[in-house]
Amino acid sequence: MKLLKLKLLVFALIVFAAGSAFASYSYEVTVNTSSVSGDSGLIYMNYFNAGGSTSTATVSGFTADATTSLGLQDTGDVMNGAQVVGTLPSNVAFTSTRSASNPNNDYLQAITLGSSTSFLVSFSGPATTATTNPSAASTFSLGFITDTGSWNNIFPPTVSGSNGELFDITLNDGGATFTTTYGGPVTLAQTPIPPSALLFGSSLIGLIGVRRRLKN
Amino acid sequence: MNKTMKKALAGLAFGLACAVCGTAALAQTTTALLKTPYMIYPVLTSTPGATTSMEVLWQDSGVPTTPDTLSWGTDSTYTTFIQNVQVAQYGTANQCMYTITGLTANTTYYYQVVDSTGFANKGSFITAPDASATSVRFLAQGDSRSCPIQLDALMYAMTQFYSQPGNSDYQRLSIANGDWVSSDAESNWTPQWFSNTNMPDVRAYTANVPINGIRGNHDTSGSYPWGTATYFPKYFPFPYQNTTTITGSGSSRAANATTFNPATVQAWSGLYWSFDYGPAHIICLDEYANMASGSPQYTWLVNDLQNTTKQWKILLYHEASYSAGADGDNGNVLAIEPLITQYNVNVVYSGHSHNYARCGAYNAAQANGDNIALNVPHITSGGGGAPIYQVDQSNTGSWPHVITAWPSLEFMTFDIEGNNLTMTAYQVNGLGNYSNYSLSELQTTPPNQLPPYANLSITPIETVVLHNYANVTSQVTATVGNFGYNHQTKMYNGTVKLTNNGPALTGNVHVVTSGILNLPGIGTADNEYDPQADEETSGDLPTNGGVAVTTPVAQNPGTGKNSPAGSGELTNLTLVNQTGSNNGEPMIQASSTGLGAGQSVTVELQFSNPTNGPIHFTPMILNGN
């Protein structure tokens, strides 16, 4: 019986590993902007390629409360904007390529903040499946700035990263992903639950079931 | 013939003989030095008491009635000497050589050679450090041929350099990487190095700094694997380890093994040797003798590398395996590259191309299939007097793996302090239109028309630091993340998380951010030093005023010679929070308290990228203090 348990566990782990290797990543992003409600400026998204493989980040499902309003997209102040396609609230796709002479992929759009905004950001491409190089990565980040002249942040630096961003989502070529929110008003939820995790969970449930049946 | 005639002829013969003898005797009494005193440090590793020796050489213009007198002591006024010895000539060329022994290590001595005219030719030297020393400094130079005024200016600048407060240690030795003269002939050796009155600084330098080195292609007749030299070993009779004499010509050439005899002026090959100097083991290869696997030189080198116990191993050969051009790289010497890795040679020092260049590859991806020892700087320092060549940093053609390069009259310093070796290349500025004077032009130029050396100055080209730390990259995962660009500060920011997957590491853990290159102090764009910048600083040794002048450097070294894809990327990055460097790459100390098994530490990176060059990260993790 112990052998059976071991086999099931190994099976679950294999399924989990396989699922991880081939998963694409999505995060539901929610930003509580109530503390700066009424402020106007620019929403700033950046997909930065630090030597990583080519990958794509797609922002979709942008929603906000009724007091939030979007203005015109600013294409004149961005770096490497050629790799960014789309305009909020519709989908915006960032293609991050290692060969680009500039690792930045900027997106800027005027915004008047209300109490909250949310969107889904999904990653796909080799960076999400490669398993060999943890020293290469792409990082997606979000910030809000007052204007492109000063690049002052609307949110205080106490809740921002060193680049003024409210959060980072990093995809390593090693196959891992990690997030940083700097203690700010941001909620990141990986969604949907990765299929690998589902398989692993179901395997564990099955294993528990087998154990109970044997006990009975 | 009657008796009278016979007597008359005998008397004439006697008279002629007397006249000849009288002439000879007269010449003997007025013999000055043809080649003023110079020094080598011809001490084999195996020689007992090696560090307390110095060899002084000179050449008389004839046969003196009494031998010249060599005296030495520690009195800088040349008044009191420890010992006086009469030195007889050896061989058939009026040469003199004396090995002073029984000296005290790490001590300054003053010596003089009094020739038969009574003139005292003076010099000084510093003995080698004790064999157990962990620190040492010395100078380095290469390719002095063909433009003697540049050589003289270089040696003036080097003398001024080691005369600066705090730099006196550098006087003790200079290593030379070949091409001393335009061709291996007396007509070049004598005026360029020893007796041209228009080049007093060469003579002053060689009288006070022993030079150890190798021959170059211009000091050689014939070609690999049978190249020979006649006058190079005559004037620089280092203890060559496996010399041969070459007979025949073309494909019928043959080598006869012969014990090197400095008194025999003939065509020698196999001019390789090695010596210890403090914590350094310096290997001088002969690139014009066979160095293929299984050859006597290759076998000797393997044995030499296996037996040395010195912490730092420096390999000299003339023609670089990897350079920035414009002379071609040498394919024969690639046979040595695996030995560089196997026996942990720290640096390769070459010349041939007349500029400064540092080539290398940090990992297999950068090597891109080329036979190059990883993480070992391949230095070209050929700007020692010969016509300066422009550099090719594109990494797209015949010169791959170029990390940085700079065309100028230059020399280098080596500074070993325990686990650290610091190498700095210095550009010599201010010669202007005098640079390319030929030897004959210099010999016919009145001294008052020579360039004013008071305008000479030096500028650091770059400083490279090597660490004898353990490379633990294989057991430490480096994960990068949170990268972005701050539009306010114009700085890039990110993190590198180091996770120790192996046994616990103690002491300092460093992350070398290979791929971010930082070269402060590189020369100004017009290849001329700005004296105004120096006046703004301390006024001592000329510097560039501490201003980090940005210069394009090869961001992605390591592509194949004929495979330009992905190469030729030049950028200019400056890391802000670096704590040191390794092999020219910025280095950040990630931990001073070690990194336990399974533990992680995160290092923040902040850097500028004004030229928006591609950014690559291939961190290397080192462990050591």
Side-chain angles (χ1 to χ4, degrees), chain A residues 44 46 48 50-51 77 79 98 100-104 106 134-137 139 150-152 162-165 168 170 172 178 180 182, chain B residues 477-495 556 569 607 609 611-619:
Chain A
Y44 169 50
N46 176 272
F48 183 98
D77 298 304
M79 299 174 71
R98 180 182 181 279
S101 61
N102 191 321
N104 282 290
D106 286 348
S135 63
T139 301
S150 66
W151 283 90
N152 285 327
S162 54
N163 301 310
E165 74 276 28
D168 291 307
T170 293
N172 281 106
F178 60 91
T180 310
Y182 305 103
Chain B
T477 302
T479 307
V480 305
N482 292 352
F483 270 94
Y485 179 71
N486 189 318
H487 289 266
Q488 265 187 325
T489 62
K490 313 300 182 192
M491 299 293 290
Y492 291 84
N493 298 278
T495 60
N556 187 23
E569 298 170 339
F607 56 93
N609 183 15
T611 54
N612 272 333
I615 298 170
H616 309 285
F617 294 93
T618 50

Side-chain angles (χ1 to χ4, degrees), chain B residues 187-206:
Chain B
S187 57
N188 291 319
W189 277 103
T190 300
Q192 173 135 3
W193 277 89
F194 301 111
S195 66
N196 190 330
T197 54
N198 279 356
M199 298 176 64
D201 295 290
V202 172
R203 299 167 72 180
Y205 182 85
T206 54

